[in-house]
């Protein structure tokens, strides 16, 4: 039995200092709104190197020691998989700067949670996975041709 499957791998990183988190106001047409920085893992790139690179490109900060704290994913109708790796770290150097991906700024997590429609899709539930050590997965599945999800 062939266990290989085509997979698109992305990452997202919660960078924090005290009660502040680094937020990006993403302007991408496919995924926009307030979220944590991140992006695609390139071919032949390590997962850790990818999140470090993406945070640097999008925020100007050089992070270190990112900790894998969860995943988000689903299986597409064609059998391919989408997998987002969630990281967090409070270790970084540099000064924040915005990029073509969107403005970046520090915000209290409680304030972020109250931003409603300004948040990116699923951000409230993704934050639960980032912050709750009893959760490690946000998984979408189809049931009766409707997308549903579970936090595990």
């Amino acid at each position: 039995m062939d266990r290989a499957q085509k997979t698109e791998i992305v990452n997202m990183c919660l960078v924090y200092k005290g009660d502040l988190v680094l937020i990006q106001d993403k302007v991408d047409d496919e995924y926009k709104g307030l979220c944590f920085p991140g992006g695609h893992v390139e071919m032949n790139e390590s997962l850790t190197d990818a999140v470090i690179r993406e945070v640097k490109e999008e925020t100007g900060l050089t992070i270190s020691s990112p900790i894998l704290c969860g995943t988000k994913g689903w299986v597409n109708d064609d059998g391919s998989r989408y997998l987002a790796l969630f990281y967090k770290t409070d270790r970084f150097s540099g000064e924040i700067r915005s990029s073509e991906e969107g403005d970046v700024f520090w915000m209290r997590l409680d304030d972020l949670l109250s931003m409603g429609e300004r948040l990116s899709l699923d951000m409230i539930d993704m934050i639960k996975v980032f912050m709750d050590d009893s959760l490690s997965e946000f998984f979408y599945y189809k049931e009766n041709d409707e997308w549903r999800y579970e936090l595990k």
Side-chain angles (χ1 to χ4, degrees):
M1 175 161 99
D2 184 11
R3 293 179 185 256
Q5 61 184 202
K6 183 177 177 182
T7 304
E8 179 179 0
I9 306 171
V10 300
N11 57 54
M12 185 177 276
C13 188
L14 185 163
V15 181
Y16 63 97
K17 61 177 181 179
D19 65 345
L20 298 176
V21 294
L22 187 61
I23 301 303
Q24 182 175 49
D25 191 358
K26 198 113 166 129
V27 294
D28 188 297
D29 287 339
E30 291 183 31
Y31 191 77
K32 61 176 98 179
L34 301 177
C35 62
F36 302 135
H40 285 85
V41 176
E42 301 295 337
M43 189 69 71
N44 298 319
E45 183 177 37
S46 85
L47 303 175
T48 301
D49 288 348
V51 72
I52 292 169
R53 176 186 51 77
E54 284 289 349
V55 171
K56 175 76 171 178
E57 289 175 0
E58 295 184 0
T59 73
L61 296 182
T62 301
I63 62 169
S64 60
S65 304
I67 303 298
L68 184 63
C69 60
T71 65
K72 177 182 177 182
W74 60 84
V75 177
N76 295 303
D77 290 337
D78 67 0
S80 65
R81 184 176 287 264
Y82 180 92
L83 180 62
L85 305 173
F86 294 164
Y87 290 89
K88 60 184 169 182
T89 187
D90 64 350
R91 297 181 182 188
F92 58 88
S93 62
E95 297 294 323
I96 63 169
R97 62 162 171 68
S98 297
S99 72
E100 63 189 27
E101 300 273 346
D103 291 335
V104 293
F105 49 90
W106 295 102
M107 176 182 268
R108 286 176 27 101
L109 184 59
D110 290 343
D111 293 337
L112 177 66
L113 293 171
S114 68
M115 297 303 287
E117 292 182 10
R118 290 208 48 219
L119 295 172
S120 294
L121 179 66
D122 299 331
M123 196 61 187
I124 294 286
D125 286 318
M126 288 190 294
I127 289 171
K128 291 176 186 174
V129 176
F130 275 99
M131 302 303 292
D132 185 340
D133 289 341
S134 71
L135 296 174
S136 63
E137 184 177 20
F138 181 127
F139 185 71
Y140 271 104
Y141 61 95
K142 271 195 173 175
E143 185 174 272
N144 300 323
D145 283 334
E146 298 220 10
W147 286 103
R148 303 192 188 287
Y149 69 87
E150 295 179 331
L151 301 181
K152 300 178 177 202

